[in-house]
Amino acid sequence: AAPTVINYGGSAWLGHYSAYIAMKTGMMGKYGIDLRWQAFATSSSRMAAVMAGNVDIAGTGVVSALALMASGAKQFQMIATPNNFGKAEGMLVRDGVKSLNELKGKKIGVTYASSSHVLLLDVLAQAGIDPDKDVSIINLPSTELLTAYRANQIDAAVAWTPTFNRIRALPGTRILLDDSAFSLYKSYKMSPGPDVLLVRSVFGKENPAAVKGFLQAIFEANAFMTQKPEEAAKILMELTSLTMEEQLSTIKQTEWFSQADQKALMENPGNFVIGLQKLAEMLLKLKQIDFVPQVRQWVNATYL
Amino acid sequence: MAAVKTSTAAGDAMISIRGVSKSFGALKVLDQVNLEVARGEFLVLLGASGCGKSTLLNLVSGFERATVGSVHVNNREVRDVDPACGMVFQQYALFPWKTVRQNVEFGLKMRGVSRTERAKTAQHYIEMVGLRGFEDSFPNALSGGMKQRVSIARVLANDPDVMLFDEPFAALDAMTRQVLQEQLLSIYEKSGKTIIFITHSIDEALMLSTRMIVMGAKPGRVVQDITNDLPHPRAAEVQLSPRYIELKKSIWETVQVEVMKGLEHAK
Amino acid sequence: MAAVKTSTAAGDAMISIRGVSKSFGALKVLDQVNLEVARGEFLVLLGASGCGKSTLLNLVSGFERATVGSVHVNNREVRDVDPACGMVFQQYALFPWKTVRQNVEFGLKMRGVSRTERAKTAQHYIEMVGLRGFEDSFPNALSGGMKQRVSIARVLANDPDVMLFDEPFAALDAMTRQVLQEQLLSIYEKSGKTIIFITHSIDEALMLSTRMIVMGAKPGRVVQDITNDLPHPRAAEVQLSPRYIELKKSIWETVQVEVMKGLEHAK
Amino acid sequence: MAEKKEWLRGSALLTLSAVSLLAFLMLWELICRAGVVDTVFLPAPSQVLARAIRMWDQHSLIANIAASARRVMVGFLAAVVVSIPLGIMLGTSKVARAVFDPILSFLRPLPSMSWIPLTLLWFGITETQKYSIVFMGAVTPALLYVIEATQGIDPILIRAARNLGANRWQVMREVILPGCMPQILSGMKVILGLSWTCVISAELVAAKEGLGFMIMNGKEFFQTDTVVLGMVLISFTVLITDVVFRLIQRSVLSWQR
Amino acid sequence: MAEKKEWLRGSALLTLSAVSLLAFLMLWELICRAGVVDTVFLPAPSQVLARAIRMWDQHSLIANIAASARRVMVGFLAAVVVSIPLGIMLGTSKVARAVFDPILSFLRPLPSMSWIPLTLLWFGITETQKYSIVFMGAVTPALLYVIEATQGIDPILIRAARNLGANRWQVMREVILPGCMPQILSGMKVILGLSWTCVISAELVAAKEGLGFMIMNGKEFFQTDTVVLGMVLISFTVLITDVVFRLIQRSVLSWQR
Ligand SMILES: Nc1ncnc2c1ncn2[C@@H]1O[C@H](COP(=O)(O)OP(=O)(O)OP(=O)(O)O)[C@@H](O)[C@H]1O
Ligand SMILES: Nc1ncnc2c1ncn2[C@@H]1O[C@H](COP(=O)(O)OP(=O)(O)OP(=O)(O)O)[C@@H](O)[C@H]1O
Ligand SMILES: [Mg+2]
Ligand SMILES: [Mg+2]
């Protein structure tokens, strides 16, 4: 039979490594899937494409997904979480800076409505720093962060890979904190914007086999990245334009979930889902969304 | 106003204006105008600027509706714009995107006359006004006098019973004007149409009309109604005849009284 | 052209136009024009449309430069726009954003005359043209005749030696025109200025001028030069005098020949 | 009688507009309520209103409008201040126009957004950068308006002024400047609208308030009600500035009627 | 002699423009070469040229221009097709105008970019979405141009036509449509320029080629030469469409001269 076409929405973020590897190494083909890659600069435009029916399966940072749930959209379902990262996102500062308190009165650049934004607001709250008065937060798209940081227009940047790596590579720069400083990370191993895979509800209903096959391929790719990181890095460099060294460390820092991990995360006992619910509550507190969705209603683990 | 005489019986009147008043907002422009124009008459309207001459013409052509009273043309009340009254505008009002021929053909085209027939009719009138050779020119390439002749040909081709002229020659130089006056007279004599013609020039009125109406201002009404009995053809010499001078003087006096009433703060 | 007579000796000429030709691109508009205008003369220029009357005036006022020949005003060659020749434009050319008073004061202001003095002068000329009470009106609130009077007052206030009029009354109705003609004559008689005045109306020429020039077209040149010896004051009756009729006839004939040369394909 | 009819007609048209607006809003509301379209795709007017009330309570509504309005005003006024003298110069001198023509032809078609990268490099993430985007988007069209206005002055007025003894500088001040005021003013109204377009570009980067930010941030959170509210507020603000402009025109150009 | 002078003056002005352009480019190049500004902030013209040659060799130059041009054309033509009949209708009927007025007042001030969120939801990341952004940015100004053009027709021409026996439909076809053609055409030239502005917004999201994509992508990779090249190409394309438009105008409006 002809392979099932799946339009996938991705980007250079590590959350999409699995799908990219699976596509490039023929793993998708093995499960009868013709994966068509569509690149998006932001999660929200990728989600909009899902809503409009242009994309069948997308990987996304969960903030965007929670925002869409908060506005009541039922057009998609959450089917898996491919990884857990903690070192690929964080706050970068110049060498002299040792603690958050030293950033008082300084400029911190971050992309609004991103997981980094959530991380920043959370760590500021933990340190008792008022985000409106004590520091000045600058809203910058991820590419602008690098320019602004390099041109000394901001004193700190909160970013995710690959911008994160690029800034970190600048001389005289250090990581002040990463996702492990996030309050929910400590209790739920929940980063501020874990990656999830979404399927368009209609597509999932009509092509359950293809979705299952897709997930199979993802987990195969995850195993590949865990076992042969060097080979994976070579493939991924054309997606991310990172150096071999950076690419390799990004892969190694990340925990690539296997199929076996999934059930436990998603359904039983579903720690991941519980963590997401907590995250949604936090987003409300941080005034990022104005309604807390019941996350479980969007979870569909039947394709696993 | 009591002095107004009606020179024709109501029966053979081509145009009859009965008790017409017209106001724009609070401004009363025409007040109780009564006027009968006989079939085949060449009526010239004179009067100071702003006395309502154009307004009267617009009522006859149907562009405006009377506030009080009624206007009949050919015994039918005027209720909408009616092609039976062809208007020649002071500003020519040619369609600039149409050639001379297309302009002259316009009315026929609107009535669905066939292409060949309307070309023939148009050619006839274009030649009548002396514009052979300019059939395919656009109006912008013509001088003022030529444009005015196209405009006359256009109305003639549409063959209306009545032709209305609103100061058609005002913007032309004296010489072109004279030539066009002569052409208009010869067309009038041949076609026997009924004509109402507005002008500021008493000489023009005397040269063209069979009858002259002087209007007064504020509000506009008929103050003088004179039959022009000067002999035809009215060549330049007629201007030196005693009757011409007598008529001119009489109109001039009426007009002067009216103008003086209206002139602002003049010395 | 050989018939051109020069009515004044070169010595007391206010304006002298010597061997002037003017071309626009390939179009030769004026050809070898020679003309002397004496101090205090009221010269009227007549001629068919397009024969170069305005161009001649523009050469005198300095708006255009002659292609060949020279123009002297008051024995100084005209090389740039010169306030010594005040121009009254057909289109009035009032500054619409200035009141009547500010318009009349304009020339004085440009010369740096003090505020009180220019107000006094302006008031004098505003009253002279009969516009007392309209000092603070904007031009848009005035009728055509009133605008033309402001334009005349503006030039008078600037006290030029020469006044140039380019068909100033063409757009006015016959009656307003008559009033303004009389005012202009009385100003001329009082002030003794030198005037060149363009018109299309032979009657206007006869009523105003001390001397008349008829121009021919293609290219423009002087074809007739007549001294107007009609007695003053020239009231309406003068139009009926034999001398008036004789002069009119003579000009009319010249003009007609010239116009016929120029008229396009007329019947 | 006639005047009564006129008046009636004027007020009838106004009523018609109001009825049409109401009908439009009600239809929109109904479509959303009936579930014909998902409110994620198109929020109901009532939702937009609710969002407006919420933002009002949080004091962010006025703050957003004020932030954008300030950027528009600074950029727009800078463009006006530059374009009027420069435009009059270019409008009156053929030589100056020939010199500037290539540069103007290059600058004219550039969308304000295309200036984001360069201005960011030049001015950093300051407000100046945002002003400069509005400025760049407004200044060339403003210049073209002024040039056109200058050239539209009846040359006979210039002749008349020269004939009355005005020198070139006096002609510029007394004739050209007041003479092109009407067109400049009506052009500036258009440019002001255009400046609002540019402010959206300006707020794409490094903004945390403003109507452009509101729309783009609303987009990130799939709050279409915020998006539509931002759009309504832009329309509303532009309408108000239009009215203000018309008042200015009427008072400055009293001589026109 | 006079004509020779005229001609000389015309060509002298052209030469002046060319010299000015060259001087401008040389100054720019010198500033960059001398290191007065960092070429990361402002690339030298020679760098831009080099980038152009490289992209030409990679066939991406034409592809980018073509992609944007296609989007502009589709959106622009759709706007024209909608706005001409609708505009004539609104221009001739007071009632229709009253009905549409509130909606138009709302739509008119909205920058094309503000349509990104909604169109993205409605059409997704398709080309339709990009066309719709250009369309939304172009259609209201186009409509306003057509309405104004329709109202600008000398009423005496309409009277003349009616007086010659034309009915309302004939008046529309024979007088109003041809009569507003000149303004419509010159308006459309402006709208076409505007459409180019909109295409940059359209290519902000989910585009893989186009001049807007080129500028934004160049920015991401700190290739200011690509950014400036994109800007130059926009100017260039708009200039060419301007020339094409002028030719169309000249042939359609032959009656004007
Ligand atoms: N549509 C209109 N609305 C309001 N007032 C009008 C309208 N048409 C004409 N008027 C007024 O009616 C009066 C008479 O105008 P009309 O045009 O009939 O005068 P006229 O005798 O033709 O003058 P002219 O010789 O200057 O053409 C004027 O005062 C004019 O202002
Ligand atoms: N600036 C110019 N450029 C080219 N041709 C011109 C210019 N000014 C006038 N002409 C031409 O010169 C000729 C004479 O024009 P001019 O205005 O002097 O005539 P006129 O006698 O004043 O005519 P009218 O009585 O119609 O005002 C005309 O053929 C006109 O087309
Ligand atoms: Mg009239
Ligand atoms: Mg002239």
Side-chain angles (χ1 to χ4, degrees):
Chain A
T4 313
V5 171
I6 294 182
N7 290 303
Y8 180 84
S11 76
W13 162 246
L14 66 82
H16 306 286
Y17 286 2
S18 314
Y20 194 77
I21 294 274
M23 176 176 73
K24 286 289 173 184
T25 55
M27 295 170 189
M28 286 290 172
K30 204 168 77 188
Y31 292 98
I33 290 162
D34 175 8
L35 196 73
R36 307 257 168 99
W37 187 270
Q38 299 258 26
F40 293 85
T42 62
S43 283
S44 65
S45 48
R46 207 176 306 123
M47 296 301 296
V50 172
M51 296 292 289
N54 303 127
V55 162
D56 306 315
I57 295 182
T60 182
V62 83
V63 175
S64 212
L66 286 174
L68 198 48
M69 292 177 198
S71 65
K74 293 284 191 186
Q75 281 86 343
F76 67 93
Q77 290 177 321
M78 200 184 288
I79 53 173
T81 175
N83 62 55
N84 185 16
F85 61 93
K87 308 282 177 204
E89 179 174 51
M91 183 187 285
L92 299 149
V93 292
R94 285 180 227 291
D95 274 343
V97 182
K98 298 280 179 259
S99 78
L100 262 184
N101 278 314
E102 290 170 44
L103 286 174
K104 279 191 181 170
K106 298 278 175 64
K107 289 179 182 159
I108 307 172
V110 67
T111 309
Y112 268 38
S114 70
S115 55
S116 298
H117 192 202
V118 175
L119 171 65
L120 175 62
L121 292 175
D122 178 62
V123 295
L124 289 176
Q126 288 181 50
I129 298 172
D130 185 330
D132 293 323
K133 298 202 184 87
D134 299 336
V135 290
S136 128
I137 300 180
I138 312 267
N139 173 22
L140 290 169
S142 58
T143 50
E144 245 66 68
L145 275 173
L146 175 55
T147 325
Y149 183 84
R150 202 162 58 165
N152 265 327
Q153 291 164 348
I154 50 176
D155 304 294
V158 191
W160 62 90
T161 187
T163 309
F164 176 75
N165 306 65
R166 292 225 176 86
I167 297 178
R168 192 181 57 185
L170 294 174
T173 299
R174 61 181 290 263
I175 304 169
L176 182 65
L177 53 87
D178 58 26
D179 279 351
S180 56
F182 188 57
S183 54
L184 292 178
Y185 197 87
K186 292 158 190 163
S187 33
Y188 298 95
K189 276 233 155 189
M190 175 62 54
S191 64
D195 287 312
V196 291
L197 288 167
L198 306 178
V199 66
R200 193 153 57 79
S201 308
V202 177
F203 182 84
K205 206 172 283 167
E206 287 169 359
N207 306 285
V211 179
K212 277 184 188 151
F214 172 84
L215 288 180
Q216 295 289 327
I218 291 290
F219 296 122
E220 218 167 281
N222 279 358
F224 179 74
M225 280 191 283
T226 315
Q227 288 150 18
K228 302 176 184 160
E230 282 82 6
E231 268 176 62
K234 260 179 236 149
I235 299 168
L236 289 169
M237 275 164 63
E238 53 184 287
L239 175 69
T240 60
S241 315
L242 290 174
T243 63
M244 183 67 192
E245 199 180 336
E246 288 170 334
Q247 188 65 69
L248 202 56
S249 76
T250 313
I251 296 175
K252 284 179 174 169
Q253 282 162 9
T254 307
E255 181 183 352
W256 300 99
F257 291 137
S258 68
Q259 174 132 28
D261 304 328
Q262 285 298 309
K263 285 267 180 196
L265 286 165
M266 299 296 288
E267 217 173 28
N268 192 14
N271 278 342
F272 181 72
V273 177
I274 296 165
L276 280 188
Q277 194 65 41
K278 294 282 174 210
L279 182 59
E281 282 156 19
M282 175 185 274
L283 288 176
L284 182 76
K285 224 183 303 165
L286 297 173
K287 295 204 184 99
Q288 298 288 298
I289 56 179
D290 29 49
F291 175 75
V292 178
Q294 284 307 311
V295 178
R296 208 169 275 284
Q297 292 177 2
W298 275 270
V299 174
N300 183 347
T302 59
Y303 301 112
L304 288 168
Chain B
M1 235 190 336
V4 173
K5 59 171 182 169
T6 314
S7 64
T8 50
D12 66 333
M14 188 68 193
I15 302 167
S16 62
I17 296 166
R18 298 179 195 147
V20 161
S21 299
K22 174 73 184 171
S23 304
F24 291 107
L27 182 73
K28 190 156 204 171
V29 174
L30 292 177
D31 186 30
Q32 280 295 325
V33 176
N34 285 290
L35 190 62
E36 305 269 314
V37 185
R39 200 174 295 273
E41 217 166 18
F42 195 132
L43 180 81
V44 170
L45 280 182
L46 284 156
S49 187
C51 74
K53 303 179 297 296
S54 298
T55 305
L56 194 62
L57 227 57
N58 286 338
L59 290 172
V60 175
S61 60
F63 293 141
E64 303 270 6
R65 304 297 319 273
T67 314
V68 179
S70 68
V71 177
H72 288 74
V73 172
N74 224 343
N75 297 317
R76 277 217 323 274
E77 188 170 354
V78 177
R79 293 183 175 281
D80 193 8
V81 179
D82 185 349
C85 294
M87 179 83 118
V88 177
F89 300 88
Q90 178 175 349
Q91 311 90 319
Y92 321 129
L94 299 180
F95 305 116
W97 52 88
K98 289 182 183 286
T99 61
V100 167
R101 178 182 293 115
Q102 289 167 338
N103 264 286
V104 175
E105 282 180 351
F106 188 85
L108 302 167
K109 188 174 171 195
M110 293 304 104
R111 271 190 277 138
V113 174
S114 77
R115 190 179 294 263
T116 49
E117 194 171 332
R118 62 182 198 243
K120 219 182 82 199
T121 315
Q123 191 61 34
H124 173 73
Y125 288 103
I126 288 171
E127 286 176 15
M128 176 184 281
V129 297
L131 286 175
R132 168 185 245 152
F134 289 93
E135 292 86 350
D136 297 319
S137 304
F138 284 105
N140 276 4
L142 305 180
S143 78
M146 294 161 87
K147 283 185 201 160
Q148 196 55 278
R149 281 182 274 160
V150 177
S151 161
I152 292 170
R154 184 173 68 172
V155 170
L156 286 171
N158 208 30
D159 196 29
D161 297 330
V162 177
M163 289 178 68
L164 308 171
F165 290 83
D166 193 352
E167 299 188 47
F169 304 150
L172 305 181
D173 67 279
M175 301 85 200
T176 312
R177 192 167 180 155
Q178 162 118 356
V179 173
L180 286 186
Q181 282 171 5
E182 281 165 16
Q183 287 184 354
L184 177 60
L185 263 187
S186 91
I187 291 167
Y188 164 69
E189 279 156 14
K190 275 187 254 167
S191 67
K193 301 216 182 282
T194 310
I195 291 178
I196 304 184
F197 187 105
I198 297 180
T199 182
H200 272 126
S201 157
I202 300 174
D203 287 311
E204 189 166 77
L206 285 163
M207 295 299 282
L208 294 175
S209 69
T210 61
R211 180 180 162 208
M212 293 169 292
I213 296 281
V214 181
M215 287 180 66
K218 285 169 197 172
R221 70 226 177 278
V222 176
V223 292
Q224 199 177 20
D225 184 342
I226 310 168
T227 303
N228 182 355
D229 50 10
L230 288 172
H232 281 88
R234 295 181 184 153
E237 296 80 61
V238 98
Q239 296 199 9
L240 309 178
S241 72
R243 177 63 183 151
Y244 185 96
I245 291 162
E246 183 190 334
L247 282 171
K248 185 168 179 178
K249 216 166 183 172
S250 147
I251 295 171
W252 183 248
E253 275 157 17
T254 319
V255 164
Q256 213 155 21
V257 173
E258 289 300 321
V259 167
M260 282 309 157
K261 279 195 211 156
L263 254 188
E264 348 71 354
H265 295 244
K267 264 210 289 203
Chain C
M1 239 195 323
V4 173
K5 60 173 181 168
T6 314
S7 63
T8 50
D12 66 334
M14 187 68 193
I15 302 167
S16 62
I17 295 166
R18 298 180 195 147
V20 161
S21 300
K22 173 73 184 173
S23 305
F24 291 107
L27 182 72
K28 191 156 203 171
V29 175
L30 291 177
D31 186 31
Q32 279 296 322
V33 175
N34 286 290
L35 189 64
E36 306 270 314
V37 184
R39 201 173 295 273
E41 218 167 17
F42 195 131
L43 180 81
V44 170
L45 279 182
L46 283 157
S49 188
C51 73
K53 304 180 295 297
S54 297
T55 304
L56 194 61
L57 228 56
N58 285 338
L59 290 172
V60 175
S61 60
F63 293 142
E64 304 272 7
R65 303 298 317 275
T67 314
V68 180
S70 69
V71 176
H72 288 75
V73 171
N74 222 345
N75 296 319
R76 276 219 323 273
E77 187 171 353
V78 177
R79 293 185 173 281
D80 192 9
V81 178
D82 185 348
C85 293
M87 179 83 120
V88 176
F89 299 89
Q90 178 173 349
Q91 310 91 317
Y92 321 130
L94 299 181
F95 305 115
W97 53 88
K98 289 182 183 285
T99 61
V100 167
R101 178 182 291 114
Q102 288 166 338
N103 265 285
V104 175
E105 282 179 351
F106 188 85
L108 302 166
K109 188 172 170 195
M110 294 304 103
R111 272 189 276 139
V113 174
S114 78
R115 189 180 294 265
T116 49
E117 195 173 330
R118 62 183 199 240
K120 217 182 85 200
T121 315
Q123 191 60 33
H124 172 73
Y125 287 103
I126 290 170
E127 285 175 16
M128 177 184 279
V129 297
L131 286 175
R132 167 184 244 153
F134 289 92
E135 293 88 349
D136 296 319
S137 304
F138 285 107
N140 277 2
L142 305 180
S143 78
M146 293 162 86
K147 282 185 201 159
Q148 197 54 278
R149 282 181 274 160
V150 176
S151 160
I152 293 171
R154 183 173 69 172
V155 170
L156 287 172
N158 209 29
D159 196 30
D161 296 330
V162 176
M163 287 178 70
L164 308 170
F165 290 83
D166 193 353
E167 299 188 47
F169 304 150
L172 305 181
D173 67 281
M175 300 86 199
T176 312
R177 192 168 180 156
Q178 163 120 357
V179 173
L180 287 187
Q181 282 172 4
E182 281 163 17
Q183 287 184 354
L184 177 59
L185 263 188
S186 90
I187 291 168
Y188 163 68
E189 280 157 13
K190 275 187 254 167
S191 67
K193 300 216 182 283
T194 308
I195 292 179
I196 303 185
F197 188 105
I198 296 180
T199 182
H200 272 126
S201 158
I202 299 172
D203 286 311
E204 189 166 77
L206 285 163
M207 294 300 282
L208 294 175
S209 68
T210 61
R211 179 179 163 205
M212 292 170 292
I213 296 281
V214 180
M215 286 180 66
K218 287 169 195 172
R221 70 227 177 279
V222 176
V223 292
Q224 199 177 19
D225 184 341
I226 310 169
T227 303
N228 182 354
D229 50 10
L230 290 171
H232 281 87
R234 294 182 186 152
E237 297 80 60
V238 99
Q239 296 198 8
L240 309 177
S241 71
R243 178 63 183 150
Y244 185 96
I245 290 162
E246 182 191 335
L247 280 172
K248 184 168 180 179
K249 215 166 184 172
S250 146
I251 296 171
W252 182 247
E253 275 157 15
T254 318
V255 164
Q256 213 155 20
V257 173
E258 289 300 320
V259 167
M260 281 308 155
K261 279 193 212 158
L263 252 187
E264 348 70 354
H265 294 244
K267 263 212 287 204
Chain D
M1 200 183 111
E3 82 198 289
K4 204 169 165 189
K5 241 190 338 199
E6 282 292 311
W7 182 85
L8 261 175
R9 208 192 287 163
S11 92
L13 288 177
L14 257 181
T15 315
L16 196 59
S17 286
V19 168
S20 140
L21 180 62
L22 268 176
F24 174 71
L25 288 176
M26 268 163 59
L27 191 75
W28 177 1
E29 182 79 36
L30 269 179
I31 286 178
C32 292
R33 291 268 166 116
V36 179
V37 298
D38 194 325
T39 53
V40 178
F41 293 96
L42 185 71
S46 57
Q47 285 176 285
V48 176
L49 191 67
R51 171 69 64 182
I53 293 169
R54 185 150 3 132
M55 291 188 74
W56 177 271
D57 289 343
Q58 295 168 352
H59 306 286
S60 60
L61 201 63
I62 297 291
N64 281 323
I65 297 176
S68 291
R70 193 190 60 241
R71 289 169 189 147
V72 164
M73 274 304 144
V74 173
F76 167 73
L77 288 179
V80 168
V81 166
V82 168
S83 62
I84 289 184
L86 194 58
I88 289 183
M89 192 184 92
L90 295 182
T92 48
S93 157
K94 274 191 189 173
V95 173
R97 213 152 57 237
V99 170
F100 275 80
D101 198 44
I103 298 164
L104 270 182
S105 310
F106 169 61
L107 293 183
R108 184 170 59 87
L110 293 178
S112 58
M113 221 165 34
S114 68
W115 289 102
I116 294 181
L118 290 180
T119 52
L120 216 54
L121 288 170
W122 295 341
F123 303 110
I125 43 173
T126 52
E127 280 295 297
T128 314
Q129 183 259 342
K130 293 177 188 65
Y131 302 151
S132 74
I133 289 205
V134 176
F135 175 82
M136 287 315 297
V139 73
T140 39
L143 207 50
L144 292 174
Y145 265 106
V146 176
I147 291 175
E148 200 171 300
T150 309
Q151 292 179 323
I153 288 180
D154 193 348
I156 206 157
L157 292 181
I158 296 170
R159 286 196 164 185
R162 302 262 295 128
N163 184 259
L164 289 162
N167 59 33
R168 296 199 180 273
W169 166 243
Q170 285 172 321
V171 165
M172 209 163 274
R173 209 190 45 184
E174 299 277 339
V175 182
I176 295 175
L177 188 62
C180 56
M181 228 38 204
Q183 277 107 306
I184 288 185
L185 277 180
S186 67
M188 291 307 144
K189 206 167 74 182
V190 176
I191 303 294
L192 187 57
L194 198 68
S195 303
W196 274 97
T197 311
C198 303
V199 86
I200 310 291
S201 317
E203 288 171 357
L204 270 183
V205 165
K208 48 187 173 185
E209 51 185 7
L211 297 177
F213 166 77
M214 204 174 132
I215 291 176
M216 288 303 155
N217 203 49
K219 172 187 152 231
E220 293 300 316
F221 288 107
F222 300 98
Q223 295 168 348
T224 36
D225 47 358
T226 309
V227 171
V228 173
L229 178 61
M231 294 167 82
V232 170
L233 288 178
I234 291 178
S235 293
F236 213 72
T237 323
V238 173
L239 281 183
I240 289 171
T241 31
D242 266 14
V243 170
V244 171
F245 238 94
R246 222 167 294 153
L247 292 179
I248 293 177
Q249 272 178 313
R250 200 172 297 170
S251 75
V252 173
L253 306 177
S254 56
W255 52 269
Q256 282 203 315
R257 359 196 53 236
Chain E
M1 198 185 116
E3 82 198 289
K4 203 169 164 188
K5 242 195 331 204
E6 282 292 311
W7 181 87
L8 260 176
R9 210 192 284 163
S11 92
L13 288 178
L14 257 180
T15 314
L16 197 58
S17 288
V19 168
S20 139
L21 179 63
L22 268 177
F24 174 70
L25 288 176
M26 268 163 62
L27 191 74
W28 177 0
E29 182 79 37
L30 269 179
I31 287 177
C32 293
R33 291 269 166 117
V36 180
V37 296
D38 192 329
T39 53
V40 176
F41 292 89
L42 185 71
S46 57
Q47 286 175 286
V48 177
L49 190 68
R51 169 69 63 181
I53 293 169
R54 189 156 355 136
M55 290 188 75
W56 175 271
D57 289 342
Q58 295 166 351
H59 306 285
S60 61
L61 203 61
I62 297 291
N64 280 325
I65 296 176
S68 291
R70 193 190 59 241
R71 289 169 189 147
V72 164
M73 274 304 141
V74 173
F76 168 73
L77 289 179
V80 169
V81 166
V82 168
S83 62
I84 289 183
L86 192 59
I88 289 182
M89 192 185 90
L90 294 182
T92 47
S93 156
K94 274 190 190 175
V95 173
R97 212 153 57 236
V99 170
F100 276 80
D101 198 44
I103 297 163
L104 271 182
S105 309
F106 170 61
L107 293 182
R108 184 170 60 84
L110 293 178
S112 58
M113 228 170 18
S114 71
W115 289 102
I116 293 181
L118 290 181
T119 54
L120 212 54
L121 283 171
W122 295 343
F123 305 112
I125 46 160
T126 53
E127 283 295 298
T128 314
Q129 184 256 344
K130 292 174 189 66
Y131 301 151
S132 74
I133 290 208
V134 176
F135 175 81
M136 288 314 296
V139 73
T140 38
L143 205 52
L144 293 174
Y145 264 107
V146 176
I147 292 176
E148 200 171 301
T150 309
Q151 294 180 321
I153 288 179
D154 193 345
I156 206 156
L157 292 181
I158 297 170
R159 286 196 163 185
R162 301 263 295 129
N163 184 260
L164 290 162
N167 59 34
R168 293 197 181 275
W169 166 243
Q170 287 171 321
V171 166
M172 209 162 275
R173 211 191 43 184
E174 299 277 339
V175 182
I176 294 175
L177 188 62
C180 55
M181 229 35 205
Q183 276 106 309
I184 288 185
L185 277 180
S186 68
M188 290 308 144
K189 205 168 74 181
V190 177
I191 304 293
L192 188 58
L194 198 67
S195 304
W196 274 98
T197 312
C198 303
V199 86
I200 308 294
S201 316
E203 288 170 359
L204 205 56
V205 166
K208 286 197 275 246
E209 50 185 7
L211 296 177
F213 164 78
M214 202 173 135
I215 290 176
M216 288 302 151
N217 202 49
K219 191 191 76 174
E220 310 245 329
F221 293 106
F222 307 103
Q223 298 167 344
T224 33
D225 47 358
T226 309
V227 172
V228 173
L229 178 60
M231 294 167 81
V232 170
L233 288 177
I234 293 177
S235 292
F236 215 70
T237 324
V238 173
L239 279 183
I240 288 172
T241 32
D242 264 15
V243 171
V244 171
F245 237 93
R246 223 167 293 152
L247 292 179
I248 295 177
Q249 273 178 311
R250 200 172 296 170
S251 75
V252 173
L253 305 178
S254 56
W255 53 268
Q256 282 202 314
R257 7 192 48 238

